[in-house]
Amino acid sequence: MGADRVRFAVVSHDAGSSELLCAFILQHRTLASWNIFAKVPSPMATICNRYNLPFTPIGDADKQLEALSPDILLFGTGWQERCERPYVRYCKAHAIPTVAFLDHWTNYRERFGYPDEGWKENLGEFTAVSDEKAYELATSLKLPHPVKLPNYYLEGLIEEARKRPVTASNDLLFLSEPTDAVAERSYGDPLYWGFTQYTALKDILDHFGQFECEKLIIRLHPSETSSNYETFLKEYSHIPVQIHEAHSVDLTDELLNAKAVIGFDTMALYTAALFEKPVISYLPSNIRKFLLPLPKERQLNDLDELLPELLTPLNLHINEFGMDFASFIQTLRKAD
């Protein structure tokens, strides 16, 4: 990389890291040249369209990058897709610095293919994280060269949320995650952790009275469909339940309007806490660790431990974190 305007290539698929990447681009849009690659359709494409960020459909990575000749590759991580990997391989083969963006605190190694043989080849030369807990986790797992960057996505989300009108409800919001699919893909057993999103939801329904709510809202992960829930929900016909597809209702509105929010360790649960909502991180497991940066009393293995005082609002804030853009570029240049 010389002193000229830096040319970034950016490729991502899953929503979490795509939100971080797009917020990073928007923050520094005029300071560099940005070239985004995304599948059509994909969460990344949807986010780019939301912010009017132009992108090129994913194609032959070698040809696209050869034509672009980027200085740096930023890439997203997740488990739904592996479309980033050809771009990472090309850049590594051509001595172009690569930076993997991690969006929360779970399955860090699994995003790169662990425990499969050769998974380390999918790592970036740098690993971008957005808070101290993520930095400590990435360091403990010996992911390459963790770098600290501000979480512009969450900062913007909180600022926007403060301006929105709130329609308070008496609803409990359950943030579903495809726990069974992640466990099966990573460990070959959908019950590896001793629970799935379905068994956990049954626990919530069995303890529904303790939440002192009138209705349960199930917000599905983008990879889930409502049909997997509808059969066993018939057993709980006495409880009003609504199922919302991920893109049918705005997430921020849903978090702000809920009386309380429960989930496993999705980023949205932490976001709800930053919105000062009552939140419960629920992991009915003896082997899965709590990773969200929430107070320990809000982390339950058993809903019998749910006390009324845990349904009061939290008062969390984002601390200042991470280097500025110039320092980030300088860090990558030193590695050349």
Side-chain angles (χ1 to χ4, degrees):
M1 285 178 285
D4 297 333
R5 186 177 175 87
V6 177
R7 293 186 304 278
F8 281 92
V10 182
V11 59
S12 187
H13 181 276
D14 286 18
S17 55
S18 296
E19 292 281 15
L20 276 182
L21 281 162
C22 287
F24 187 80
I25 293 168
L26 288 169
Q27 185 72 21
H28 308 298
R29 193 169 187 175
T30 62
L31 302 180
S33 173
W34 303 95
N35 302 272
I36 303 170
F37 299 96
K39 271 196 166 186
V40 183
S42 69
M44 179 60 161
T46 299
I47 295 163
C48 286
N49 289 332
R50 184 202 311 157
Y51 294 121
N52 294 316
L53 290 173
F55 67 90
T56 300
I58 280 178
D60 185 312
D62 289 6
K63 291 181 179 179
Q64 289 178 324
L65 292 176
E66 185 178 357
L68 177 62
S69 188
D71 298 307
I72 300 169
L73 173 72
L74 309 182
F75 68 98
T77 59
W79 67 274
Q80 287 181 264
E81 268 285 348
R82 299 292 180 261
C83 58
E84 299 93 348
R85 292 182 183 176
Y87 295 82
V88 175
R89 285 195 294 269
Y90 177 94
C91 288
K92 284 186 171 182
H94 292 80
I96 299 168
T98 55
V99 187
F101 272 60
L102 299 176
D103 58 300
H104 52 69
W105 308 272
T106 59
N107 302 314
Y108 274 7
R109 292 182 300 181
E110 287 78 4
R111 300 164 189 233
F112 302 101
Y114 176 88
D116 294 344
E117 186 176 350
W119 69 274
K120 291 185 179 180
E121 297 174 6
N122 303 317
L123 294 164
E125 294 168 280
F126 295 86
T127 309
V129 295
S130 299
D131 61 78
E132 196 60 47
K133 183 161 187 173
Y135 181 79
E136 292 171 1
L137 182 59
T139 302
S140 70
L141 294 173
K142 299 181 179 178
L143 298 182
H145 301 103
V147 291
K148 301 178 178 181
L149 295 176
N151 194 325
Y152 296 115
Y153 167 64
L154 273 184
E155 289 176 4
L157 207 59
I158 293 169
E159 183 178 349
E160 180 195 352
R162 291 186 180 129
K163 303 173 184 176
R164 292 201 185 191
V166 177
T167 305
S169 73
N170 197 22
D171 299 339
L172 174 64
L173 176 62
F174 170 56
L175 301 170
S176 184
E177 298 177 65
T179 300
D180 57 348
V182 175
E184 184 167 21
R185 178 172 295 190
S186 300
Y187 305 104
D189 180 4
L191 274 168
Y192 176 82
W193 289 301
F195 75 99
T196 68
Q197 62 272 40
Y198 309 114
T199 62
L201 180 57
K202 287 186 177 183
D203 293 342
I204 293 169
L205 289 163
D206 288 336
H207 293 81
F208 188 71
Q210 293 175 237
F211 292 94
E212 299 182 357
C213 292
E214 294 179 1
K215 182 172 61 182
L216 175 68
I217 304 292
I218 301 169
R219 183 181 177 89
L220 300 179
H221 185 271
S223 66
E224 293 183 298
T225 60
S226 60
S227 60
N228 293 331
Y229 291 87
E230 289 169 349
T231 300
F232 76 81
L233 283 175
K234 294 176 182 177
E235 304 171 24
Y236 299 91
S237 58
H238 59 290
I239 299 175
V241 178
Q242 287 184 1
I243 301 176
H244 292 171
E245 302 286 343
H247 301 298
S248 66
V249 182
D250 182 83
L251 175 60
T252 297
D253 285 340
E254 203 143 53
L255 296 176
L256 288 172
N257 295 340
K259 177 183 177 181
V261 186
I262 187 169
F264 306 136
D265 45 25
T266 174
M267 186 73 177
L269 192 63
Y270 178 60
T271 304
L274 293 174
F275 289 170
E276 301 182 4
K277 304 299 295 187
V279 302
I280 298 294
S281 176
Y282 178 49
L283 294 177
S285 172
N286 294 322
I287 60 173
R288 182 159 161 175
K289 296 180 180 179
F290 290 97
L291 293 175
L292 289 179
L294 295 172
K296 288 185 178 181
E297 64 270 16
R298 303 291 177 126
Q299 300 171 332
L300 302 183
N301 294 118
D302 190 333
L303 290 180
D304 287 337
E305 301 169 359
L306 180 66
L307 302 174
E309 53 264 34
L310 299 182
L311 297 174
T312 55
L314 278 170
N315 188 23
L316 292 186
H317 302 282
I318 296 181
N319 298 321
E320 286 191 16
F321 184 86
M323 64 181 72
D324 60 28
F325 189 66
S327 299
F328 176 57
I329 299 299
Q330 186 65 28
T331 299
L332 301 186
R333 280 182 167 150
K334 285 179 181 178
D336 267 0

